[in-house]
Amino acid sequence: MEIRVAIVDDHKMLVESLSKLINDSGTTRITAAYYDLQSCRLGLSNALPDVLLLDIGLPDGDGVDFCAEIIKIYPTLKILILTSYKEFNIAKRALHNGALGYILKNSMSEEVFAGIKSVSKGEQFLCEEIDILLKNKKNEDIVWLSNREKEILLYIADGYTTKEIANLIFRDSETVKSYRKHLLIKLNAKNTAELVKKGYEMKLM
Amino acid sequence: MEIRVAIVDDHKMLVESLSKLINDSGTTRITAAYYDLQSCRLGLSNALPDVLLLDIGLPDGDGVDFCAEIIKIYPTLKILILTSYKEFNIAKRALHNGALGYILKNSMSEEVFAGIKSVSKGEQFLCEEIDILLKNKKNEDIVWLSNREKEILLYIADGYTTKEIANLIFRDSETVKSYRKHLLIKLNAKNTAELVKKGYEMKLM
DNA sequence: TTGTCAATCACCCAAAAGGGGGAATATGGG
DNA sequence: CCCATATTCCCCCTTTTGGGTGATTGACAA
C-alpha cells in the first residue's frame, strides 16, 4: 500500500523538486506540502498522512517544539526530520520530542526514500552522520531551557544588561544574575559571548 | 543556444532534484554539480559554464568570499547566488563581490529559471524579497571586517577574554581592547553579547 | 510525604568589559 | 607623494559580569 507523506519546509524550491522526485517513485506519494507550521496544523486536521517530513527552522516556529505538540494530538504519526541542523542537542531533542527519523539535507535523496519506508513501519531511521554523532555523544545530556531561561537568553543576545533585563521582566537584578549563572553552567559557556554562540548553535533562541 | 549551468551546494538533495528539474526544461542544462568549493575550483578550470549557481554556507568556505575569488579568474562568469541567507549585509556583500543575481531558497523554482536567463544575458536578477530588502536599506553601509577583526571576533565568540586573545595572537591587551571597541562600533552592538549575535547574523565569522 | 526543580532574591569580592581620550607605524591605492 | 585604513599600543575611570555561597517559595512527581 502506498505511503502517504506530507512535507513541511519553507524552502519551496526543495519541496517542489523533492515532491516531484518522490511522487515519481510509485511506492510513496506526497499528499500535502506546507511552507509553515500554521498551515501544517490546519492541513493535518483535515487529512492525516502516514509520515510527516519536517524541517526545523520554519518561519513561524521551531520544528523541534512542533514534534512534541503534534505527537500529542496524533500519536500514530511518524515524524521524519529533514533539516540541515547537525548539532547533537537539536537532533537529540527532536527524537526525544517524538520524531522517529532524522535526515540531513546533505544526504542523497535515496536516504529520504529509505527513511520514509523505515519510519512508516515504526522503525527509527537516522542518516549516517547523525547516527555517528549520537553514538559519539551518547553520554552527553540534552540541554533543556525553561521558558524564563530562553526569554533571558534572548534578551542577553539582544544586548540588554542584567539591570535592563530585570526592568523588562519586572524582577530583581539578583534574579536575572542568578539566571545568567545557570545559563552559563547549563550551556557550558565560559562567558556571555560563548553563551550567545552556543545558544545560536543549539537553536535555543 | 542552451545555457550551461554549474551548481555548488552542499545540500545534495536539492542539487539532485533541482538538476533534474532544470535539465528537463530544455533551454538550460546542468553541466556540473559540486558539493564544496574546492571541487568547484577544480571543475571550473576544466570546463567553464555560463552561469554558476552558488550557495553561501558551504562546508569548506564562504560563497561570498568565493565570488570575489572566482570573478577575478573568470570575469565573464555569471554568478547567481542561491541561498537561504536573507540578511542585508550578506546579499550586499555578495553582489559587491561580483554576483549578478541573488535568489532565496524559499522562492519557487520558476524564479531560478528566470534568474538563470537574466544573468546569462548579463542582467542583474534579484528575487522579490531581496529586491525589497536592498531598496529599503539602500542607505545602509556594508560592514566589512579585516582579517584581524574577523579573527578576534571568532576568539570572542569562543569565549576567550581580552587577555587570552592577546596571548593567542602575540599582541598587547590594549591592542585587542582597541579591536573590541572598533568591532562594537562597526557592527553597531551595545556589548559583546550583541556583537556575537550580529556576527552570526551577518555571517562574519 | 519527600524530594526535585523552577523561580525568586541576597551579599561579597574579583575580573572583565566598556567608554573617553590619544598616537605611532605601516601599507596600499590614486 | 598623499591619504585612507589597518594595525598596533597607551592612560584614565566606570559599569558590568563572573564566582562563590547562600535562602525561600511553590509546583509537581515519585
Side-chain angles (χ1 to χ4, degrees):
Chain A
M1 188 185 153
E2 213 178 43
I3 306 170
R4 288 163 304 138
V5 178
I7 181 166
V8 204
D9 198 317
D10 62 322
H11 290 182
K12 295 184 188 137
M13 209 166 283
L14 181 69
V15 172
E16 257 188 282
S17 47
L18 193 63
S19 296
K20 195 171 180 296
L21 222 66
I22 291 177
N23 281 333
D24 289 353
S25 74
T27 56
T28 309
R29 193 160 47 88
I30 299 290
T31 56
Y34 312 105
Y35 305 132
D36 56 68
L37 294 179
Q38 191 46 35
S39 52
C40 178
R41 278 189 195 92
L42 292 172
L44 291 185
S45 65
N46 283 331
L48 196 67
D50 303 304
V51 175
L52 180 67
L53 269 179
L54 176 63
D55 191 14
I56 286 185
L58 279 309
D60 61 343
D62 184 358
V64 176
D65 297 333
F66 190 68
C67 281
E69 174 194 331
I70 218 69
I71 215 77
K72 263 184 208 155
I73 311 175
Y74 314 108
T76 61
L77 180 64
K78 316 300 180 191
I79 301 176
L80 177 54
I81 299 287
L82 180 60
T83 188
S84 47
Y85 289 101
K86 49 186 71 176
E87 284 77 25
F88 165 81
N89 200 57
I90 296 173
K92 196 78 186 176
R93 276 190 296 143
L95 295 172
H96 189 278
N97 275 358
L100 196 52
Y102 199 109
I103 299 177
L104 290 173
K105 284 187 181 173
N106 64 11
S107 312
M108 304 294 279
S109 52
E110 286 94 25
E111 294 261 36
V112 182
F113 288 107
I116 291 172
K117 199 177 283 182
S118 289
V119 300
S120 72
K121 289 187 285 188
E123 297 162 8
Q124 190 180 68
F125 185 91
L126 307 173
C127 72
E128 202 187 344
E129 200 173 330
I130 292 296
D131 190 43
I132 293 169
L133 179 75
L134 294 182
K135 276 176 183 153
N136 285 341
K137 305 201 172 185
K138 66 159 72 106
N139 296 320
E140 215 165 282
D141 290 331
I142 306 181
V143 176
W144 295 100
L145 295 188
S146 69
N147 289 332
R148 202 46 141 185
E149 286 169 333
K150 281 185 203 165
E151 187 188 7
I152 289 175
L153 182 51
L154 273 171
Y155 281 129
I156 291 172
D158 277 338
Y160 292 104
T161 65
T162 299
K163 207 183 293 180
E164 287 168 340
I165 297 170
N167 288 332
L168 285 166
I169 66 172
F170 305 105
R171 290 293 177 277
D172 197 277
S173 289
E174 288 298 328
T175 302
V176 179
K177 221 173 143 182
S178 181
Y179 273 103
R180 296 188 77 127
K181 288 181 210 176
H182 284 122
L183 282 168
L184 288 176
I185 294 166
K186 274 198 177 180
L187 298 209
N188 190 30
K190 293 193 284 290
N191 53 31
T192 303
E194 201 185 3
L195 180 69
V196 172
K197 191 192 79 168
K198 294 204 167 177
Y200 258 88
E201 280 177 1
M202 294 185 181
K203 208 177 158 43
L204 292 171
M205 38 179 201
Chain B
M1 187 184 153
E2 214 179 39
I3 305 170
R4 289 162 304 137
V5 177
I7 181 166
V8 204
D9 199 317
D10 62 323
H11 289 183
K12 295 182 188 139
M13 207 166 285
L14 181 69
V15 172
E16 258 189 281
S17 47
L18 193 63
S19 295
K20 194 171 181 297
L21 222 66
I22 291 176
N23 280 334
D24 290 353
S25 75
T27 56
T28 309
R29 190 160 48 89
I30 298 290
T31 56
Y34 312 105
Y35 305 132
D36 55 67
L37 294 179
Q38 190 48 35
S39 53
C40 178
R41 277 188 196 94
L42 293 172
L44 292 185
S45 65
N46 283 331
L48 196 68
D50 302 305
V51 174
L52 181 66
L53 269 179
L54 175 63
D55 191 13
I56 285 184
L58 280 309
D60 62 341
D62 184 358
V64 175
D65 297 333
F66 191 67
C67 282
E69 174 194 333
I70 218 69
I71 215 77
K72 262 182 207 155
I73 311 175
Y74 314 107
T76 61
L77 180 65
K78 315 300 180 192
I79 300 176
L80 177 54
I81 299 288
L82 180 60
T83 189
S84 48
Y85 289 101
K86 49 185 71 174
E87 284 76 25
F88 165 80
N89 201 57
I90 296 174
K92 196 79 186 178
R93 276 189 297 142
L95 296 172
H96 189 278
N97 275 359
L100 196 51
Y102 200 108
I103 300 177
L104 289 173
K105 283 185 180 173
N106 65 10
S107 311
M108 304 295 278
S109 52
E110 287 93 26
E111 293 261 36
V112 181
F113 288 108
I116 291 173
K117 199 178 282 182
S118 288
V119 300
S120 72
K121 288 186 284 187
E123 297 163 9
Q124 189 179 68
F125 184 92
L126 306 173
C127 71
E128 202 186 346
E129 200 174 330
I130 292 295
D131 189 43
I132 292 168
L133 179 76
L134 294 182
K135 275 174 182 154
N136 285 341
K137 305 201 170 184
K138 66 158 72 107
N139 295 321
E140 215 165 281
D141 289 332
I142 305 181
V143 177
W144 296 99
L145 294 189
S146 69
N147 290 332
R148 202 49 141 182
E149 286 168 332
K150 282 184 202 166
E151 188 188 6
I152 289 176
L153 182 51
L154 273 171
Y155 281 130
I156 291 173
D158 277 337
Y160 292 104
T161 65
T162 299
K163 208 183 292 180
E164 287 169 342
I165 297 170
N167 289 332
L168 284 166
I169 66 172
F170 306 106
R171 290 293 178 279
D172 197 279
S173 289
E174 288 299 328
T175 302
V176 178
K177 220 172 144 184
S178 180
Y179 273 102
R180 297 189 77 129
K181 287 184 213 176
H182 284 125
L183 282 168
L184 288 174
I185 294 166
K186 273 199 178 179
L187 298 209
N188 191 30
K190 292 193 282 291
N191 53 31
T192 303
E194 200 184 6
L195 180 69
V196 173
K197 190 191 79 166
K198 293 205 169 178
Y200 258 88
E201 281 177 1
M202 293 185 181
K203 208 175 157 43
L204 291 172
M205 40 180 200

